[in-house]
Amino acid sequence: MTKLIIILLSAVFINNYVLSRFLGICPFLGVSKKLDSATGMSLAVIFVMMMATAVTWPIQMFLLNPNNLGYLQTIVFILVIAALVQLVEIVLKRYIPALHSSLGVYLPLITTNCAVLGVTILNIDEGYTFAEAMVNSLGSGLGFFLAMVMFSGVRSKIEGADIPKSFKGLPITLIAASITSLSFLGFGGVIENLFAK
Amino acid sequence: MNAILTAVIPVVIIGLICAVVLVTASILMAVKEDERIPKVRECLPGANCGACGYAGCDGYAKAIVEDNAAPNLCVPGAKATAEALGEVLGIEVEETEPKVAFVHCAGDCEHTEDIVEYEGVDSCKAAKLIFGSKGKCSYGCLGLGDCKNACPEEAIYIQNGVAKIGKQYCVGCGICVKTCPNKLISLIPNRDVRTVACSNQDKGAVTRKVCSAGCIACRKCVKACPNEAISIFNNHAVIDGDKCTGCGSCESECVVGGIQKN
């Protein structure tokens, strides 16, 4: 149980996918302008990460590994995740239209999100069991959510600030992102030592 | 050769399985979409400006078919679009008039002065929050270009400290109307009409002191208008664009020269 909690917390804070591993930067910079779109995107990411892990972990363990096809991991995962997201969209549109319209365009956008692929591959690399993998992808999704919401706050402050002309737009956004990511360095070692005896 | 096959075959099989699942799912769980939606969407100009009040042209097409939204809300498409929509839907459509934005202020550097030397954030909204106004007239154009930055067509420019609309580029989406913190911009018919280039709500004498182009509500234009299109509202003249025929009889009467041709 302790291990699951450590995995969850370290996925959220220490190994934050956006701010420490630098995966999923595209939606992080692209969709973080407004709080509500940032929230929508993050919820969709959490959802897709968990779905993707639930599907790709068995594929790796029961299909690829026994047949010595581990090297096909990347391409198979991309294929499966893309098909999965499409399937989820069809199902949601049919049975839960409310959720479909609130996730909106973000769901298909995530198909090619590297954070999703990153989670599924790292789950295998770390040698997690199925439960651990699921907890890790939940934590990663929550970490993405945290980074997006925090950064949309930072960006709304930037909007009203008097920024030198040469830094306006993307440059100041990248600088702000790097400072936000630096602040997450402070979490390094905290979680492990919390549970150390 | 074998090594390639062992890699290709599993991927192809997995791809095929995914494809079959997706095709079955899309057939089994197809959501019937009204077939008129794509037809309606085709009639719209596809500018996605949002002037109709819906999220882009797709959203508007959906709203027309499913929620019975009025088919004459498209501003850039104007009459042609409304007629095409009427044909698709088989209904009569009321005509829409193409509109352009107009800045109701003529208080440029020659007519009025600044009272503060503003060096803050380059935004009308910020300047208004801090000082209430940048120039003598607290109702006038701040000239820092919030509307210019908001305009998707780049139709707005700042001249002599007052925002101006490049009529030929304006599509009448009304985004600047919502942006201006002093609510100086309105949409007026895109034909030969007259408008009052002042929004000052003070009494005539006060207006006169702060800006030589300000409307002092002398009522001369009201009397001159043959169509009763002009009225005095909040101490300045307002011309009803729908009633105005563009005869120009008010223009020559105005003592401050504040009535302008569209």
Side-chain angles (χ1 to χ4, degrees):
Chain A
M1 193 61 203
T2 323
K3 195 181 178 197
L4 289 184
I5 296 173
I6 293 180
I7 290 177
L8 180 74
L9 290 180
S10 55
V12 176
F13 294 108
I14 302 170
N15 293 327
N16 188 297
Y17 266 74
V18 178
L19 299 172
S20 297
R21 291 200 204 264
F22 306 115
L23 290 171
I25 298 293
C26 168
F28 178 61
L29 294 176
V31 200
S32 61
K33 255 189 176 167
K34 284 189 191 138
L35 183 63
D36 50 349
S37 53
T39 321
M41 180 80 186
S42 319
L43 291 179
V45 166
I46 296 178
F47 184 63
V48 172
M49 272 183 177
M50 298 199 57
M51 292 287 293
T53 306
V55 174
T56 53
W57 195 89
I59 287 183
Q60 175 79 26
M61 290 305 165
F62 302 122
L63 196 71
L64 299 184
N65 281 357
N67 298 316
N68 287 326
L69 292 170
Y71 58 92
L72 287 179
Q73 189 189 46
T74 313
I75 188 165
V76 168
F77 279 17
I78 291 177
L79 200 63
V80 170
I81 292 172
L84 175 76
V85 173
Q86 206 58 45
L87 184 66
V88 168
E89 208 197 348
I90 295 172
V91 173
L92 282 187
K93 202 172 181 183
R94 180 80 165 87
Y95 294 108
I96 324 174
L99 187 61
H100 179 259
S101 62
S102 67
L103 289 180
V105 293
Y106 303 120
L107 202 52
L109 268 183
I110 296 165
T111 313
T112 47
N113 188 334
C114 61
V116 175
L117 186 64
V119 169
T120 54
I121 289 180
L122 283 170
N123 278 335
I124 307 293
D125 288 355
E126 299 278 339
Y128 286 149
T129 65
F130 187 71
E132 288 167 353
M134 289 306 284
V135 169
N136 184 44
S137 44
L138 173 66
S140 309
L142 288 175
F144 186 84
F145 178 79
L146 180 72
M148 288 288 275
V149 169
M150 265 177 55
F151 199 56
S152 71
V154 172
R155 281 189 86 160
S156 68
K157 289 280 176 196
I158 292 177
E159 208 110 300
D162 190 10
I163 298 154
K165 210 171 182 181
S166 53
F167 284 106
K168 267 186 185 160
L170 196 58
I172 193 71
T173 312
L174 288 173
I175 292 173
S178 68
I179 295 173
T180 318
S181 131
L182 263 184
S183 71
F184 263 64
L185 267 183
F187 285 116
V190 171
I191 311 285
E192 281 90 340
N193 288 320
L194 266 185
F195 292 96
K197 281 171 190 166
Chain B
M1 195 61 199
N2 264 343
I4 298 178
L5 280 182
T6 44
V8 170
I9 290 171
V11 175
V12 169
I13 291 172
I14 292 176
L16 278 178
I17 294 172
C18 290
V20 170
V21 170
L22 278 184
V23 169
T24 357
S26 66
I27 293 171
L28 281 181
M29 300 183 218
V31 180
K32 269 202 180 154
E33 211 169 46
D34 200 313
E35 53 197 27
R36 287 177 302 172
I37 292 179
K39 280 188 192 164
V40 168
R41 174 65 188 79
E42 256 171 44
C43 298
L44 298 170
N48 288 322
C49 66
C52 50
Y54 296 95
C57 294
D58 286 336
Y60 182 41
K62 210 172 168 201
I64 290 177
V65 176
E66 286 175 2
D67 310 328
N68 290 325
N72 59 353
L73 298 176
C74 183
V75 181
K79 203 178 156 190
T81 298
E83 277 172 0
L85 287 178
E87 227 166 78
V88 170
L89 301 168
I91 47 167
E92 286 284 312
V93 177
E94 281 172 44
E95 208 173 287
T96 41
E97 208 166 25
K99 298 208 162 180
V100 287
F102 185 86
V103 182
H104 294 278
C105 177
D108 54 21
C109 309
E110 289 147 28
H111 294 103
T112 183
E113 287 163 17
D114 280 358
I115 42 166
V116 290
E117 212 164 282
Y118 181 72
E119 284 189 356
V121 183
D122 215 8
S123 143
C124 308
K125 214 179 195 174
K128 191 175 163 64
L129 276 175
I130 297 168
F131 297 108
S133 148
K134 190 160 102 20
K136 274 183 172 174
C137 172
S138 54
Y139 302 95
C141 179
L142 295 134
L144 293 170
D146 278 8
C147 50
K148 185 182 155 200
N149 297 335
C151 181
E153 300 290 325
E154 298 185 8
I156 305 180
Y157 56 98
I158 310 289
Q159 194 180 50
N160 267 343
V162 172
K164 302 266 182 205
I165 313 277
K167 204 178 120 189
Q168 65 272 37
Y169 302 115
C170 180
V171 294
C173 64
I175 291 172
C176 52
V177 176
K178 290 173 207 145
T179 310
C180 181
N182 274 347
K183 310 225 176 322
L184 289 174
I185 309 178
S186 70
L187 294 177
I188 57 171
N190 187 9
R191 55 186 164 87
D192 191 19
V193 292
R194 300 294 186 279
T195 15
V196 180
C198 181
S199 304
N200 192 304
Q201 297 178 12
D202 288 332
K203 290 245 160 60
V206 183
T207 310
R208 192 79 196 142
K209 268 179 207 157
V210 297
C211 178
S212 59
C215 174
I216 52 173
C218 65
R219 295 181 181 272
K220 271 182 126 175
C221 52
V222 180
K223 285 170 203 151
C225 183
N227 305 312
E228 294 180 348
I230 310 181
S231 55
I232 301 291
F233 176 73
N234 276 348
N235 289 318
H236 62 88
V238 177
I239 299 183
D240 184 344
D242 296 333
K243 285 185 194 165
C244 179
T245 57
C247 66
S249 43
C250 51
E251 203 177 348
S252 50
E253 286 292 318
C254 185
V255 290
V256 294
I259 294 182
Q260 292 179 1
K261 222 173 177 176
N262 173 21

